[in-house]
Each structure stands twice: as structure tokens, then as C-alpha cells.
Amino acid sequence: MEQLKQLASLAGLQDSYVHANGHLEHIAPAVQAAILTAMGFALSDEQQIAAQSQQLRNAPWFETLAPVTVAEQQQPFQVRLQLAADTANSHWQWQLQLEDGQQLNGNLLLQAKDIVEQNELDGRLILAFNLPFQLDLPLGYHQLTLSDGQQSTMGPAVQLYAVRSARNWGMGDFADLKAMVAPLAAAGNDFIGLNPLHALYPMLPQDCSPYSPSSRLWLNTLYVALDETQDYQSCTAAQQLVASATFQQQLAACRAAANVDYPAVAALKQQVATLLFQHFQQHELARQSERAKAFQVFVAEAGISLYQWAVFSVLQGHLFWQDLQTAAWQQFPPELQDPHSAAVAAFAEQHASAIEQQLYLQWLAQLQLAEVKAECRKQGMAIGLYCDVAVGTSRSSAESWGAPEDFLLDLSVGAPPDIMAPKGQNWGLLAYNPVTLRQKAYQPFIELIRANMRSAGALRLDHVMALLRLWCCPLGADATAGCYLRMPAQELFAILALESQRNHCVVIGEDLGTVPAEISELMQHYQVLSYRVFMLEQKAGSYQHRDLTYPPQALATVTTHDMPTLVGFWQELDLALRHQLDLFPSPAVADSLQQLGIAQPDAATLVRACHLYTAATPARLFAYQLEDLVLLETPVNIPGTSTEYANWQRKLPQNIETILSDNKVLQLMQEMKQARS
């Protein structure tokens, strides 16, 4: 009888009530038993009743969060969080979606002193915390999401320039990126992976590799959607130019091209940008409007690196079109090789308006990318933008011109021969000078990481081994004629970890190629996610031991921008292309590879199977290439080539609007999301 009373109480039944006549009325045990039976409880024996009572007592402890917490307006409130002690995480992010659509975000740090209660269940200790929120919320129903950064997330890897749309000007831009967020979030994606958005060479648009930048601290201004700016909406001259028959004809040709025609796109954007900046000068700067003040604050806070990039961009273009041998600043006239010289100051004064126009475009780029970040938060993406930082800067870059002492100017970074590049690789990039880096208290590296985390929820470090050692070759030497240069790994990883915490940014290290054990140990210690590629993991045990091949502390992906598309690989198109481009050590190797023919399943079936397998791995992040989902055959980039192949130019085959409304694409995204959970 006592067991039945306890179960009834725990189930919410009252054993008495005050009658309308004022006397106490008791509920008979038989009535309670009948109601409990109707509620689904089994009452056949005392042991069964006791077990159900225990389940009801423990049930609240199995909830990480209660489904509902009631709070009063203008009063602080608390939310109870319950975690298993052996897996509890101290760092949490919270997001509050208000009923009116507004979002609030913040961070919490749990400590032992914050434990308010604990209980042991099934041999596991459960800890309860009360999370305080000092928020004055409006009346309504609001949704709280807590994240410890441990959940499994997925998202597409996108080459932004390759995006086609009905409105862009022949290459993807920040307006396209913003428009992609809502449909991708609705399809279960938590991030959008991007190629490096680094500043390139505005006056030399043919130099288009995002991994050979002019400045890794600033953005590629060709990504500015000029037609989506406030100045365009009020600039009649720009609108008339765009509407003209000649402009529209050129615009149609840029959109229709299979590859991005960077010079043609840049020419169109330059015409309109000039008109927009003139309009900004006349209507904002001249009267010191609020927008003018915001622009000036941006330039002032950006500091010397932005100004030097703008001066360099204009100077490089001015000299290059006079003499094509002067693309590299090392070929500038001697008096212009020093950014602090009187000659450079005189040039800057003479071309002040053109330089300020570059600053204006950089401001617009930063504003539009910030809008994309805000849209990611609005749509509830757990991570948002997953950005990429190149391993080095170009030898002829604004970075190296502005601070040549920071780099080893007479060495070129690359990689020794490996499975992806049998002849080795020479990237033509500069390594940091480790001596100068240390003397400057690593400030150049700190600024680099901060700049690239500004809009990112996750950051990929290309060739993360560079934090430990770099393969360096003398200028002009073959990639095989190099050696490793040690870098101050402990300091660089510590800085990376600190900035990751401050910017709430996940870090992924691209650890492909020749990977020493020490780098793996450092990544594990500092919780930098490893980069695990399905197409490179086809070795003994990779299927039987999937949890080891794709550990939780990793990003898993089927293929990458430096590899063949999945369809191209399966149909051996990559072998034919590499043979054609003479990328094999010998013809015999190429011939032997092409003779290994195997049965080919339907391309869509192959893509689906590989992606569902990789999505189901324990890796916390899963990225997929949009090219694979639309069964594209040609690669983005072929390492070891420059002009032999149209690297960083190939577009997606359809408009992004079409791709993201394709039922087959959406179905595969849904299946991948299910596999992740």
C-alpha cells in the first residue's frame, strides 16, 4: 500500500482534497490504482511499483534542460543545467531566440562552486548548475539554445567566386553568400565553408588565386555586391550605366562564361565603383554625414596595414600598366620599394582619391561580410561562416612590401613530394621570419588570426604544419631542393588557442601531406580539429575502425578543393588530366594507374553512399563540396600547376538558386543531417 501511495504522489495524484462543504475528503487507494492504470502504470506487484516510482524520481535528472522555464519580466532568472560529471564541459555558448525574431547571444563558464545539487544514477554522477541570466526580456515565448561546442555539425564548402546567380556580375559575391544562408540553414546546415577571402590585387585581377594573396588581413573587394550598397540605391549615374545596353551586354557575357573572367568582371565593377565613390565623396564625405564618420572611424581603427594595402594596390597597378615586369614590388623603382620613402608619400598624395576609393571598397566589403555573419546568427546556424587562411603571403604582396622584415624574402614555401604531388610543390609563398616574429612578440601572427576570425565561427588553417615547420626552397629551385625550417610552435599554438577563446571560433588544422607526430600532439593538446578526407583514408582498417579514422576532434569531408571531384575521380578524368599536364614522375606511373579500371556505379549512387558514410563518422564537423552534390566532373584547382589549368576560375554549373531548390540536393542534405544525428 505504501509503494502505491508513493507512486501516486510521484505521478501527480492528490490523495485528498477539501470538499465544498469544508471537510477533508480522502481518495480511496482503489480509485488511485484505477487512475494510475489508466495512465499506463503497471501495478501487478510491489517490486514493479517500486521500480516505476524510482524511474519517476530519476526522470528529471536525465533532462539536460527542462523543456520550460518561467521567468518574470524585469526580474533576473535562472535556468537549471544538468550534466554527467565525467563528460561535463565548462565552456558554453547560449543563444536566445526572442518571439519577435531578435537573437541574443553570450557565453558561460561553469565552475565547481556553481554546482547546486548532485545525484548518482546508474553509476554516473550527475551535476546540477543554476545558470543566471541578467536579461530584461520582453513578455512572450522565447527559445533558449545552449551549446558546448561538442555537437555534430555539417555544412557545404563553397568557392564563393564560383557561385552563379541571376543577379551577380559574373562571379559570386557577398550578396549571393547572404542569400544562401536561409535555405542552407533550413536544410540543416550549421556552417558555410569558404575559400580564403583574402585581398588580392585590384589592378591585376588576373592574379586570382585565393591562396596567393596580397594581404591576408583584408578582404577581396571583388566580392562586394555593388548593386546592393546604399550608395548604389541613390546614385543615378551608376544605375544608368548598369542599365545601358553596352553594360548589359558585357554583363550577360560575364554571367554566361563557364569560367570566371576576372579581368572582364573587374572592369565592370571598376566603372561602377568609381561612380559610387564619387557619389560618396559628394553626398557623404563633403557634408560629414554619419556614414562618412563611420567610414573614417573604420579607416582609423584599421591602422597602417590597410592603408599600405591601398597604396600598394594603386602603386602596383600604376607601374604594371606602364611596364609589365613590375608586378612584383621587388621590380619597382628603388625609391618605391620602401613604403616609408618620400617617393611613396609623394605618390600617395598625388593619387589620394584612388587610394581612398580602395579604402572605401574595403569598408563596403567588411560591412557586407558582417551582414552575412548576422544573417547566419538570425537563421540559427551553430557556427556560421567557416573561413580559411592561406599558409603564406605572395612574394609580391602588400604584406611583404609593408613589412619585409617579417618574411624570408629569398625563400619559397612548398612541400616535399607526397601522394598528391609526386614532384613536390613550390607555392611561391613567403614564410614568416621566426627571428623577427619573436622579436615583435608575435604581433604579426596575432593580427593575422584576429583579422581572419573577425567574421568566422570556425577557421581553417591551410597547411597547419607551418606552425611547427615549413618546407623552404631557394628562389628558382625545384621543390625537391628544400629543407624544413623550424617555427616556434608552442608560442604560435598558444596564441591560436587564446584568440580562439576570445573570438569564440573553432579552429581546424589542414594536416595533410607529410605530417610529423609532433604536430598531431600539439593539435590534440590545443584541441585544434584534424582534417580527415575520405578519399585519402582508403587504407587498411579505415572502414573497420571508423571511430579511429575519423575521431570526434576532427572535420570530416569526402574531398577538397585541391582534389578531383568525386565523379571526376571515379571516372578517371583526373588521371587523364594529370597525364595531359605532365604531373606524374614518369609516363610509366601514369600508364599503370590508368590501367587499373574498375566497375563504375551510377555517379549519383556513388556520391550519396560516400557522403552518408562520411557524415555518419564521429567527427564533430562534416563538410561537403557543392560540386560533388551536383555531380560536377572538373576540379577547382590542380596543385603543382599555374597557367596549365584554369585554377580558381571554374564556376558551378547552375545558378545557386536552382541548386538549393533541387529536390535531389535537398534530399541528400536531409539524409546527411540524419546520418550526423
Side-chain angles (χ1 to χ4, degrees):
M1 186 67 69
E2 187 62 33
Q3 293 285 1
L4 182 65
K5 286 183 178 180
Q6 290 183 13
L7 178 61
S9 176
L10 290 167
L13 300 187
Q14 292 184 231
D15 62 358
S16 65
Y17 69 96
V18 177
H19 193 276
N21 292 331
H23 66 271
L24 186 64
E25 189 80 26
H26 293 278
I27 306 298
V31 173
Q32 288 186 319
I35 292 176
L36 286 171
T37 300
M39 293 172 67
F41 292 98
L43 309 178
S44 58
D45 59 62
E46 290 288 314
Q47 187 176 359
Q48 194 176 42
I49 293 172
Q52 292 173 99
S53 295
Q54 191 62 39
Q55 287 178 351
L56 289 177
R57 288 191 192 93
N58 291 342
W61 283 96
F62 287 107
E63 293 180 342
T64 303
L65 289 175
V68 174
T69 297
V70 176
E72 295 186 13
Q73 194 174 28
Q74 297 181 334
Q75 294 293 326
F77 66 94
Q78 294 181 331
V79 173
R80 185 177 171 108
L81 174 66
Q82 298 179 156
L83 305 168
D86 56 348
T87 59
N89 190 27
S90 58
H91 293 272
W92 290 76
Q93 297 87 44
W94 59 266
Q95 181 184 84
L96 200 58
Q97 178 85 36
L98 303 189
E99 190 174 17
D100 63 5
Q102 181 184 357
Q103 279 196 354
L104 305 175
N105 300 274
N107 298 277
L108 292 166
L109 177 64
L110 302 183
Q111 301 180 55
K113 65 181 180 63
D114 299 323
I115 299 172
V116 295
E117 196 177 354
Q118 61 187 47
N119 194 9
E120 187 170 332
L121 300 176
D122 299 332
R124 298 188 76 186
L125 183 64
I126 307 297
L127 307 177
F129 302 82
N130 280 340
L131 309 182
F133 288 86
Q134 304 296 328
L135 299 172
D136 184 10
L137 299 178
L139 293 174
Y141 302 97
H142 313 304
Q143 182 70 41
L144 174 67
T145 301
L146 282 178
S147 169
D148 64 354
Q150 307 299 307
Q151 74 271 31
S152 296
T153 64
M154 76 172 204
V158 179
Q159 307 297 317
L160 183 54
Y161 60 81
V163 171
R164 294 179 185 265
S165 73
R167 53 146 297 279
N168 75 35
W169 291 8
M171 64 178 285
D173 57 29
F174 290 140
D176 290 329
L177 182 58
K178 184 178 179 181
M180 292 164 58
V181 174
L184 284 171
N189 294 281
D190 289 301
F191 63 82
I192 303 176
L194 297 167
N195 55 282
L197 304 176
H198 304 324
L200 298 182
Y201 309 87
M203 308 305 174
L204 282 69
Q206 65 274 15
D207 291 352
C208 60
S209 171
Y211 289 95
S212 186
S214 180
S215 176
R216 294 170 295 170
L217 301 175
W218 302 104
L219 298 173
N220 182 352
T221 52
L222 274 183
Y223 287 132
V224 175
L226 295 172
D227 55 320
E228 296 290 330
T229 61
Q230 186 172 330
D231 295 309
Y232 182 83
Q233 307 308 319
S234 58
C235 181
T236 304
Q239 294 172 15
Q240 289 176 342
L241 172 62
V242 172
S244 68
T246 300
F247 194 96
Q248 285 295 313
Q249 184 179 13
Q250 295 169 338
L251 189 55
C254 286
R255 285 175 177 159
N259 293 337
V260 178
D261 186 342
Y262 287 100
V265 172
L268 292 177
K269 292 204 169 193
Q270 176 64 22
Q271 295 176 60
V272 176
T274 299
L275 293 176
L276 295 185
F277 180 61
Q278 290 172 352
H279 181 85
F280 183 75
Q281 286 178 309
Q282 296 164 6
H283 295 84
E284 306 287 351
L285 290 175
R287 61 185 185 87
Q288 276 296 288
S289 68
E290 289 303 312
R291 287 188 72 236
K293 292 176 183 176
F295 165 66
Q296 290 163 342
V297 168
F298 165 76
V299 172
E301 292 181 346
I304 189 64
S305 70
L306 176 60
Y307 181 73
Q308 286 183 340
W309 169 79
V311 172
F312 175 83
S313 298
V314 175
L315 176 59
Q316 182 189 48
H318 178 79
L319 295 174
F320 178 77
W321 295 112
Q322 293 178 351
D323 181 355
L324 301 186
Q325 302 301 314
T326 56
W329 64 263
Q330 290 86 349
Q331 303 303 319
F332 287 2
E335 66 275 12
L336 297 175
Q337 293 182 20
D338 178 1
H340 307 291
S341 70
V344 169
F347 177 89
E349 183 177 357
Q350 185 180 356
H351 297 83
S353 182
I355 292 168
E356 192 172 25
Q357 182 172 318
Q358 293 301 321
L359 298 174
Y360 164 75
L361 290 172
Q362 188 63 229
W363 177 57
L364 294 180
Q366 298 287 342
L367 289 176
Q368 290 192 340
L369 190 57
E371 289 180 5
V372 178
K373 179 179 180 179
E375 182 69 9
C376 290
R377 287 182 173 176
K378 179 181 176 182
Q379 298 300 332
M381 282 189 165
I383 290 179
L385 297 181
Y386 160 33
C387 296
D388 198 351
V389 57
V391 65
T393 186
S394 167
R395 187 169 184 269
S396 56
S397 68
E399 261 190 86
S400 60
W401 179 73
E405 70 279 6
D406 289 353
F407 303 96
L408 297 169
L409 297 177
D410 294 325
L411 293 175
S412 179
V413 170
D418 59 30
I419 189 172
M420 290 180 62
K423 290 186 173 182
Q425 300 177 60
N426 189 329
W427 302 323
L429 302 175
L430 295 177
Y432 275 128
N433 185 329
V435 175
T436 306
L437 205 56
R438 183 173 180 272
Q439 289 172 344
K440 289 190 174 184
Y442 304 103
Q443 197 61 34
F445 182 73
I446 294 170
E447 292 175 0
L448 172 70
I449 298 303
R450 284 178 180 170
N452 284 277
M453 286 184 173
R454 186 180 295 126
S455 298
L459 187 67
R460 172 185 179 273
L461 293 186
D462 187 41
H463 195 69
V464 71
M465 288 78 76
L467 300 188
L468 173 68
R469 67 184 194 183
L470 268 172
W471 184 260
C472 295
C473 311
L475 292 181
D478 186 85
T480 58
C483 72
Y484 279 111
L485 171 68
R486 177 164 285 276
M487 302 299 286
Q490 290 290 350
E491 289 89 343
L492 297 179
F493 268 96
I495 290 166
L496 186 64
L498 176 59
E499 293 301 327
S500 169
Q501 291 284 333
R502 288 183 169 181
N503 292 280
H504 312 298
C505 185
V506 178
V507 178
I508 301 101
E510 190 247 350
D511 51 347
L512 305 179
T514 306
V515 184
E518 190 176 350
I519 200 73
S520 301
E521 293 166 1
L522 284 164
M523 290 174 66
Q524 182 70 28
H525 178 75
Y526 287 100
Q527 298 188 30
V528 174
L529 272 62
S530 182
Y531 201 64
R532 301 300 173 96
V533 183
F534 172 80
M535 286 176 60
L536 298 179
E537 297 292 347
Q538 308 313 303
K539 52 183 178 283
S542 62
Y543 293 110
Q544 297 92 328
H545 306 288
R546 182 162 65 177
D547 289 5
L548 298 178
T549 306
Y550 303 92
Q553 193 170 304
L555 177 144
T557 183
V558 174
T559 183
T560 78
H561 60 260
D562 280 335
M563 298 174 66
T565 62
L566 195 53
V567 173
F569 169 79
W570 200 249
Q571 295 177 352
E572 301 181 3
L573 301 175
D574 63 311
L575 296 181
L577 190 54
R578 284 177 170 271
H579 198 4
Q580 175 187 333
L581 298 175
D582 188 29
L583 294 178
F584 291 111
S586 69
V589 173
D591 293 339
S592 63
L593 286 171
Q594 290 182 309
Q595 290 169 7
L596 296 175
I598 50 180
Q600 297 176 0
D602 170 71
T605 302
L606 171 76
V607 167
R608 178 178 178 274
C610 292
H611 281 76
L612 292 184
Y613 173 89
T614 312
T617 65
R620 295 226 169 89
L621 271 64
F622 166 62
Y624 57 89
Q625 309 289 316
L626 274 186
E627 285 86 352
D628 285 328
L629 267 59
V630 296
L631 308 182
L632 200 55
E633 297 177 348
T634 53
V636 168
N637 172 59
I638 300 179
T641 66
S642 54
T643 58
E644 304 97 314
Y645 180 77
N647 294 320
W648 315 114
Q649 299 173 48
R650 193 261 293 123
K651 297 183 188 178
L652 289 170
Q654 302 165 310
N655 282 356
I656 193 66
E657 303 94 333
T658 302
I659 293 173
L660 296 185
S661 60
D662 186 311
N663 287 334
K664 292 181 180 178
V665 171
L666 294 175
Q667 174 66 24
L668 182 51
M669 286 184 187
Q670 182 179 7
E671 291 179 6
M672 290 189 294
K673 186 67 175 179
Q674 291 172 346
R676 295 298 287 154
S677 59

